[in-house]
mmCIF file of all heavy atoms in Angstrom:
data_model
loop_
_atom_site.group_PDB
_atom_site.id
_atom_site.type_symbol
_atom_site.label_atom_id
_atom_site.label_comp_id
_atom_site.label_asym_id
_atom_site.label_seq_id
_atom_site.Cartn_x
_atom_site.Cartn_y
_atom_site.Cartn_z
ATOM 1 N N ALA I 114 5.476 -36.488 140.102
ATOM 2 C CA ALA I 114 6.706 -36.812 140.861
ATOM 3 C C ALA I 114 7.385 -38.046 140.269
ATOM 4 O O ALA I 114 8.604 -38.075 140.135
ATOM 5 C CB ALA I 114 6.378 -36.979 142.343
ATOM 6 N N ARG I 115 6.596 -39.051 139.986
ATOM 7 C CA ARG I 115 7.174 -40.285 139.414
ATOM 8 C C ARG I 115 7.760 -40.016 138.035
ATOM 9 O O ARG I 115 8.812 -40.500 137.691
ATOM 10 C CB ARG I 115 6.116 -41.420 139.345
ATOM 11 C CG ARG I 115 5.685 -41.896 140.724
ATOM 12 C CD ARG I 115 4.717 -43.026 140.654
ATOM 13 N NE ARG I 115 5.394 -44.226 140.183
ATOM 14 C CZ ARG I 115 4.764 -45.275 139.697
ATOM 15 N NH1 ARG I 115 3.457 -45.265 139.579
ATOM 16 N NH2 ARG I 115 5.432 -46.338 139.304
ATOM 17 N N TRP I 116 7.054 -39.235 137.211
ATOM 18 C CA TRP I 116 7.565 -38.884 135.876
ATOM 19 C C TRP I 116 8.903 -38.125 135.982
ATOM 20 O O TRP I 116 9.845 -38.439 135.296
ATOM 21 C CB TRP I 116 6.515 -38.053 135.146
ATOM 22 C CG TRP I 116 6.956 -37.554 133.837
ATOM 23 C CD1 TRP I 116 7.491 -36.316 133.550
ATOM 24 C CD2 TRP I 116 6.865 -38.207 132.563
ATOM 25 N NE1 TRP I 116 7.767 -36.191 132.209
ATOM 26 C CE2 TRP I 116 7.383 -37.356 131.593
ATOM 27 C CE3 TRP I 116 6.398 -39.497 132.207
ATOM 28 C CZ2 TRP I 116 7.443 -37.702 130.211
ATOM 29 C CZ3 TRP I 116 6.465 -39.830 130.858
ATOM 30 C CH2 TRP I 116 6.997 -38.958 129.867
ATOM 31 N N GLN I 117 8.931 -37.164 136.856
ATOM 32 C CA GLN I 117 10.125 -36.366 137.018
ATOM 33 C C GLN I 117 11.301 -37.188 137.473
ATOM 34 O O GLN I 117 12.419 -36.993 137.049
ATOM 35 C CB GLN I 117 9.905 -35.162 137.958
ATOM 36 C CG GLN I 117 9.016 -34.115 137.310
ATOM 37 C CD GLN I 117 8.538 -33.072 138.320
ATOM 38 O OE1 GLN I 117 8.597 -33.257 139.526
ATOM 39 N NE2 GLN I 117 8.073 -31.928 137.774
ATOM 40 N N GLU I 118 11.017 -38.152 138.315
ATOM 41 C CA GLU I 118 12.056 -39.077 138.778
ATOM 42 C C GLU I 118 12.672 -39.844 137.642
ATOM 43 O O GLU I 118 13.863 -40.025 137.533
ATOM 44 C CB GLU I 118 11.451 -40.018 139.843
ATOM 45 C CG GLU I 118 12.384 -41.075 140.372
ATOM 46 C CD GLU I 118 11.697 -42.034 141.293
ATOM 47 O OE1 GLU I 118 10.825 -41.592 142.080
ATOM 48 O OE2 GLU I 118 11.975 -43.238 141.213
ATOM 49 N N HIS I 119 11.771 -40.327 136.745
ATOM 50 C CA HIS I 119 12.246 -41.094 135.605
ATOM 51 C C HIS I 119 12.930 -40.226 134.540
ATOM 52 O O HIS I 119 13.792 -40.752 133.842
ATOM 53 C CB HIS I 119 11.053 -41.860 134.996
ATOM 54 C CG HIS I 119 10.626 -43.031 135.738
ATOM 55 N ND1 HIS I 119 9.811 -42.925 136.868
ATOM 56 C CD2 HIS I 119 10.885 -44.348 135.644
ATOM 57 C CE1 HIS I 119 9.614 -44.112 137.379
ATOM 58 N NE2 HIS I 119 10.256 -44.975 136.657
ATOM 59 N N GLN I 120 12.586 -38.980 134.467
ATOM 60 C CA GLN I 120 13.196 -38.108 133.483
ATOM 61 C C GLN I 120 14.477 -37.462 133.998
ATOM 62 O O GLN I 120 15.210 -36.827 133.220
ATOM 63 C CB GLN I 120 12.183 -37.046 133.048
ATOM 64 C CG GLN I 120 10.978 -37.597 132.293
ATOM 65 C CD GLN I 120 11.384 -38.332 131.050
ATOM 66 O OE1 GLN I 120 12.013 -37.763 130.133
ATOM 67 N NE2 GLN I 120 11.046 -39.610 130.963
ATOM 68 N N ALA I 121 14.759 -37.632 135.261
ATOM 69 C CA ALA I 121 15.956 -37.016 135.848
ATOM 70 C C ALA I 121 17.232 -37.475 135.160
ATOM 71 O O ALA I 121 18.145 -36.672 135.032
ATOM 72 C CB ALA I 121 16.027 -37.302 137.366
ATOM 73 N N THR I 122 17.279 -38.698 134.731
ATOM 74 C CA THR I 122 18.442 -39.222 134.021
ATOM 75 C C THR I 122 18.752 -38.344 132.801
ATOM 76 O O THR I 122 19.928 -37.971 132.551
ATOM 77 C CB THR I 122 18.218 -40.683 133.573
ATOM 78 O OG1 THR I 122 17.971 -41.452 134.726
ATOM 79 C CG2 THR I 122 19.409 -41.249 132.827
ATOM 80 N N LEU I 123 17.741 -38.084 132.021
ATOM 81 C CA LEU I 123 17.891 -37.271 130.822
ATOM 82 C C LEU I 123 18.236 -35.804 131.182
ATOM 83 O O LEU I 123 19.196 -35.195 130.626
ATOM 84 C CB LEU I 123 16.659 -37.285 129.959
ATOM 85 C CG LEU I 123 16.665 -36.502 128.672
ATOM 86 C CD1 LEU I 123 17.841 -36.938 127.736
ATOM 87 C CD2 LEU I 123 15.342 -36.648 127.940
ATOM 88 N N ASP I 124 17.559 -35.251 132.141
ATOM 89 C CA ASP I 124 17.826 -33.859 132.582
ATOM 90 C C ASP I 124 19.252 -33.695 133.058
ATOM 91 O O ASP I 124 19.923 -32.735 132.718
ATOM 92 C CB ASP I 124 16.892 -33.464 133.715
ATOM 93 C CG ASP I 124 15.425 -33.368 133.252
ATOM 94 O OD1 ASP I 124 15.153 -33.350 132.046
ATOM 95 O OD2 ASP I 124 14.548 -33.430 134.131
ATOM 96 N N GLU I 125 19.738 -34.664 133.840
ATOM 97 C CA GLU I 125 21.111 -34.603 134.355
ATOM 98 C C GLU I 125 22.124 -34.728 133.200
ATOM 99 O O GLU I 125 23.160 -34.029 133.184
ATOM 100 C CB GLU I 125 21.339 -35.699 135.384
ATOM 101 C CG GLU I 125 20.582 -35.427 136.670
ATOM 102 C CD GLU I 125 20.452 -36.683 137.540
ATOM 103 O OE1 GLU I 125 21.089 -37.762 137.273
ATOM 104 O OE2 GLU I 125 19.710 -36.612 138.557
ATOM 105 N N ALA I 126 21.861 -35.591 132.221
ATOM 106 C CA ALA I 126 22.742 -35.741 131.085
ATOM 107 C C ALA I 126 22.818 -34.462 130.263
ATOM 108 O O ALA I 126 23.922 -34.019 129.838
ATOM 109 C CB ALA I 126 22.296 -36.887 130.211
ATOM 110 N N VAL I 127 21.712 -33.772 130.091
ATOM 111 C CA VAL I 127 21.682 -32.510 129.314
ATOM 112 C C VAL I 127 22.517 -31.498 130.070
ATOM 113 O O VAL I 127 23.380 -30.809 129.511
ATOM 114 C CB VAL I 127 20.237 -32.032 129.080
ATOM 115 C CG1 VAL I 127 20.271 -30.587 128.545
ATOM 116 C CG2 VAL I 127 19.500 -32.955 128.163
ATOM 117 N N HIS I 128 22.301 -31.376 131.374
ATOM 118 C CA HIS I 128 23.047 -30.395 132.170
ATOM 119 C C HIS I 128 24.547 -30.686 132.143
ATOM 120 O O HIS I 128 25.357 -29.763 131.966
ATOM 121 C CB HIS I 128 22.530 -30.395 133.598
ATOM 122 C CG HIS I 128 23.006 -29.187 134.369
ATOM 123 N ND1 HIS I 128 22.455 -27.939 134.272
ATOM 124 C CD2 HIS I 128 24.030 -29.052 135.235
ATOM 125 C CE1 HIS I 128 23.091 -27.079 135.030
ATOM 126 N NE2 HIS I 128 24.058 -27.755 135.627
ATOM 127 N N ARG I 129 24.911 -31.927 132.321
ATOM 128 C CA ARG I 129 26.317 -32.340 132.283
ATOM 129 C C ARG I 129 26.971 -31.985 130.939
ATOM 130 O O ARG I 129 28.058 -31.434 130.865
ATOM 131 C CB ARG I 129 26.421 -33.824 132.565
ATOM 132 C CG ARG I 129 27.750 -34.278 133.106
ATOM 133 C CD ARG I 129 27.717 -35.726 133.626
ATOM 134 N NE ARG I 129 26.831 -36.633 132.959
ATOM 135 C CZ ARG I 129 25.675 -37.106 133.492
ATOM 136 N NH1 ARG I 129 25.283 -36.708 134.695
ATOM 137 N NH2 ARG I 129 24.927 -37.946 132.833
ATOM 138 N N ARG I 130 26.233 -32.280 129.834
ATOM 139 C CA ARG I 130 26.745 -31.961 128.483
ATOM 140 C C ARG I 130 26.934 -30.487 128.276
ATOM 141 O O ARG I 130 27.971 -30.078 127.734
ATOM 142 C CB ARG I 130 25.771 -32.543 127.460
ATOM 143 C CG ARG I 130 26.070 -32.175 126.040
ATOM 144 C CD ARG I 130 27.233 -32.943 125.468
ATOM 145 N NE ARG I 130 27.427 -32.588 124.071
ATOM 146 C CZ ARG I 130 28.276 -33.148 123.304
ATOM 147 N NH1 ARG I 130 28.997 -34.151 123.713
ATOM 148 N NH2 ARG I 130 28.397 -32.762 122.040
ATOM 149 N N LEU I 131 26.010 -29.683 128.732
ATOM 150 C CA LEU I 131 26.165 -28.241 128.600
ATOM 151 C C LEU I 131 27.347 -27.724 129.439
ATOM 152 O O LEU I 131 28.096 -26.882 128.966
ATOM 153 C CB LEU I 131 24.875 -27.520 129.017
ATOM 154 C CG LEU I 131 23.693 -27.723 128.065
ATOM 155 C CD1 LEU I 131 22.402 -27.141 128.707
ATOM 156 C CD2 LEU I 131 23.937 -27.076 126.712
ATOM 157 N N GLU I 132 27.512 -28.240 130.631
ATOM 158 C CA GLU I 132 28.621 -27.865 131.456
ATOM 159 C C GLU I 132 29.991 -28.232 130.773
ATOM 160 O O GLU I 132 30.961 -27.470 130.839
ATOM 161 C CB GLU I 132 28.556 -28.497 132.881
ATOM 162 C CG GLU I 132 27.468 -27.939 133.744
ATOM 163 C CD GLU I 132 27.737 -26.536 134.286
ATOM 164 O OE1 GLU I 132 28.899 -26.050 134.142
ATOM 165 O OE2 GLU I 132 26.841 -25.951 134.862
ATOM 166 N N GLU I 133 30.021 -29.430 130.188
ATOM 167 C CA GLU I 133 31.257 -29.897 129.479
ATOM 168 C C GLU I 133 31.536 -28.941 128.321
ATOM 169 O O GLU I 133 32.657 -28.564 128.065
ATOM 170 C CB GLU I 133 31.069 -31.315 129.000
ATOM 171 C CG GLU I 133 31.094 -32.386 130.101
ATOM 172 C CD GLU I 133 30.653 -33.739 129.642
ATOM 173 O OE1 GLU I 133 30.345 -33.939 128.405
ATOM 174 O OE2 GLU I 133 30.565 -34.622 130.509
#
Side-chain angles (χ1 to χ4, degrees):
R115 291 183 73 198
W116 175 266
Q117 289 170 342
E118 177 185 321
H119 285 80
Q120 294 301 300
T122 301
L123 181 58
D124 295 342
E125 291 164 8
V127 170
H128 193 79
R129 202 170 32 255
R130 173 74 179 188
L131 290 171
E132 289 287 351
E133 289 168 3

